[in-house]
Amino acid sequence: AKDLAPTQKIAGSCETTDDYVSKTEFKTLNAYLCIFASMLDAFYIISDGFKDGVIGDSHQLSRNDWLKGYKKISKHGFLALTGIADPSSIFSAMSSDEAQDVVLYSDWCFYLRRIEVDNSTKIGHLLENVKSGSVRKQGSSAICVDASFTSLLMPHCSSYGMSTEAYDFVDCFVLLG
C-alpha cells in the first residue's frame, strides 16, 4: 500500500508525506491484510495446512486435496471459489507446474487475483493495483476503500466458511475500514 497517496512537501519542514502512512495507504494496507489472510485461510483449509488451529508447513496444494476440499471454501469471498462446475479444469488453470499436479500458494493468489480483476469486482479493483510485489503509484482518489469493503471478506463463519482464526483476524479490521 506504500506510495498510493501522492507525495507532498510538508509546510515548515523538510519532510514529505511519503515519510508517513497516509489514511488512504493505511486503509488499503488493512484491506490487503484481510484479502491475503482470507486467501491463505482458504489455501490452508484444503491443503491441510491447519491442524487443530495451528498453521502447518504446507506450501502447495495437490490436485487430490483440491478435488476433495474445494467446496469447503466456496464462501471465502472470492468469485473464483464460488459456483465451481469443473474443479479439475480450475485446478489446471491455477497450476504453474508443468505436470499440473500441484498449486503453489503464489499460483493460488495470482489466480484468485486474476479472476477478481478480470471480473471487475470490488476486490479486483483494489488488487489490480498490485503489480509484481509492489503497488503502482496512484492518486489518493484512485483507490476507494470504504467502510463496506471489509464486510466483503466477512463470510459466515461455519464449516464451509473461514476458519475461526482467520475470521477473528479479519474482524479486527472491520472498524478500521
Side-chain angles (χ1 to χ4, degrees), residues 35-47 50 73 76 105 108 161-167:
I35 290 167
F36 287 102
S38 187
M39 285 182 182
L40 181 64
D41 185 62
F43 185 83
Y44 274 166
I45 284 174
I46 56 176
S47 69
F50 279 129
I73 57 169
H76 263 67
Y105 180 64
W108 175 262
M162 283 180 149
S163 68
T164 303
E165 294 82 6
Y167 187 88

Side-chain angles (χ1 to χ4, degrees), residues 26-91:
F26 182 73
K27 285 184 167 195
T28 303
L29 172 64
N30 290 337
Y32 286 163
L33 287 172
C34 293
I35 290 167
F36 287 102
S38 187
M39 285 182 182
L40 181 64
D41 185 62
F43 185 83
Y44 274 166
I45 284 174
I46 56 176
S47 69
D48 288 332
F50 279 129
K51 299 257 193 242
D52 299 322
V54 177
I55 296 176
D57 60 358
S58 179
H59 301 291
Q60 62 186 26
L61 175 65
S62 72
R63 182 179 293 274
N64 188 43
D65 286 342
W66 167 252
L67 294 175
K68 286 190 312 189
Y70 74 93
K71 291 179 182 177
K72 294 179 186 176
I73 57 169
S74 65
K75 295 181 183 177
H76 263 67
F78 298 102
L79 187 61
L81 302 177
T82 59
I84 296 173
D86 185 0
S88 189
S89 67
I90 297 294
F91 186 88

